Amino acid sequence: MDEFTLISRYFDRPDRQRGDVVTGIGDDAALCQTPAGMSLVVTTDMLVEGVHFPVTTAAEAVGHKALAVNLSDLAAMGAEATWFTLALAVPEVDEAWLEGFSRGLFALADRSGCELVGGDTVRGPRTVAIQAMGLVPEGQGLRRAGAAVGDRIYVSGTLGDAALGLSIARGEIEVEAEDAQYLRGRLDRPQPRLELGRALRGLASAAIDVSDGLVADLGHLLNASGVGARVRLQQLPLSSAYRALQGRAGWDAALSGGDDYELCFTVAEERIAQLESVAATAACELHCIGDIVSEPGLHIEDVDGSEYRAASSGHDHFRNHS
Ligand SMILES: [Mg+2]
């Protein structure tokens, strides 16, 4: 048995989760049945060890995160996750690593109803590339374009935790064990907001996931929509672990830190009541952080009402940060 036949053992599972997979792993390509009236949503995201996750990351967390970052993009489009493919490069066949990686990957895949339908494995520096696919009713996909003057801006969950988790992983800051575990968990195990994304169909005027930091990603939404925004610092949702560090961390992790994988979206004033009923049953909190304005650019209001200038505009994928 060759080494990649061995690898396929960890990924080729006999039990199919979805009835719409005609042919999955084992043929030249997968055949998936797309229902009438639905649009196919496709995204891909690659993680390189030492660049996109620290070398100290547990294999199970790498498996989780590689899929989670892709599902987060589907969530931002309002899609239901259906299928994914996996391209994996590993420096050697390390069975313990592969076992942990596949456990993390499939735990999230099964929870999200998303089935692995194909892939490829090669020898090389540890790299995980996933292409995730999903479905959204025709005409209901959420986009970055669509925010209008007067809309309110919301984010799910809390901001900046993953960036602080990365600082902890690098040994740059030390915090209490419980906070360290929470922040590192936010870096390693982001939770894609798929249910929220689906609930925002027909409700949000625009949406994006926060992968590169609020300033950068809200900036993309504003550019696509041709509008500006006013965001108030004191309305940014921070975790208690972040607040405990705020004397040292300031606002920059919340504004510019990457890897949170929360959703940032806009809602017209007349739909706020509808949003409140979504918020009441959502798995995460939703917070209004500001408003869409006609003046271009992102204006951040400091706690005292003056204009705040962020130290950096976003997370740099090409910087070696592990
Ligand atoms: Mg995205």
Side-chain angles (χ1 to χ4, degrees), residues 90-161:
V90 287
E92 76 279 309
V93 176
D94 174 343
E95 291 202 54
W97 190 89
L98 287 167
E99 195 278 320
F101 175 85
S102 71
R103 185 159 24 89
L105 180 82
F106 287 122
L108 179 60
D110 292 349
R111 204 158 68 235
S112 313
C114 194
E115 184 169 330
L116 180 66
V117 293
D120 191 20
T121 45
V122 296
R123 191 185 285 271
R126 197 167 341 256
T127 303
V128 191
I130 283 179
Q131 179 172 61
M133 287 152 277
L135 297 169
V136 68
E138 274 172 25
Q140 289 188 38
L142 301 175
R143 300 185 200 187
R144 296 175 179 185
V149 175
D151 289 359
R152 295 197 193 160
I153 305 165
Y154 289 82
V155 292
S156 62
T158 55
L159 295 171
D161 292 335

Side-chain angles (χ1 to χ4, degrees), residues 43 45 69 72-74 76 144 208-212 217 261:
T43 184
D45 222 323
V69 302
S72 177
D73 279 326
L74 295 183
R144 296 175 179 185
I208 190 167
D209 69 324
V210 183
S211 54
D212 296 342
D217 290 314
Y261 298 100

Side-chain angles (χ1 to χ4, degrees), residues 243-288:
R243 289 197 183 279
L245 271 168
Q246 207 180 353
R248 280 178 282 168
W251 295 99
D252 289 347
L255 286 170
S256 306
D259 274 8
D260 284 321
Y261 298 100
E262 295 296 346
L263 294 186
C264 176
F265 56 95
T266 55
V267 176
E269 186 119 38
E270 61 268 24
R271 294 189 188 273
I272 302 295
Q274 200 185 334
L275 179 68
E276 278 164 6
S277 68
V278 167
T281 57
C284 53
E285 290 201 357
L286 306 180
H287 290 273
C288 177

Side-chain angles (χ1 to χ4, degrees), residues 37-203:
M38 302 292 272
S39 294
L40 179 66
V41 186
V42 182
T43 184
T44 189
D45 222 323
M46 186 188 272
L47 299 186
V48 178
E49 183 176 64
V51 180
H52 303 105
F53 60 91
V55 293
T56 54
T57 309
E60 186 265 341
V62 177
H64 171 96
K65 186 166 182 172
L67 182 58
V69 302
N70 281 279
L71 298 185
S72 177
D73 279 326
L74 295 183
M77 303 299 288
E80 164 203 351
T82 52
W83 316 294
F84 70 103
T85 61
L86 166 71
L88 178 68
V90 287
E92 76 279 309
V93 176
D94 174 343
E95 291 202 54
W97 190 89
L98 287 167
E99 195 278 320
F101 175 85
S102 71
R103 185 159 24 89
L105 180 82
F106 287 122
L108 179 60
D110 292 349
R111 204 158 68 235
S112 313
C114 194
E115 184 169 330
L116 180 66
V117 293
D120 191 20
T121 45
V122 296
R123 191 185 285 271
R126 197 167 341 256
T127 303
V128 191
I130 283 179
Q131 179 172 61
M133 287 152 277
L135 297 169
V136 68
E138 274 172 25
Q140 289 188 38
L142 301 175
R143 300 185 200 187
R144 296 175 179 185
V149 175
D151 289 359
R152 295 197 193 160
I153 305 165
Y154 289 82
V155 292
S156 62
T158 55
L159 295 171
D161 292 335
L164 296 180
L166 181 60
S167 294
I168 290 166
R170 287 172 174 167
E172 292 167 355
I173 51 173
E174 277 183 30
V175 298
E176 280 179 37
E178 199 181 314
D179 286 348
Q181 194 185 2
Y182 166 80
L183 294 168
R184 186 66 201 258
R186 291 275 289 158
L187 174 70
D188 289 344
R189 292 180 179 77
Q191 300 303 318
R193 303 300 189 187
L194 284 161
E195 263 177 56
L196 175 62
R198 286 200 301 274
L200 293 176
R201 287 175 190 165
L203 171 55

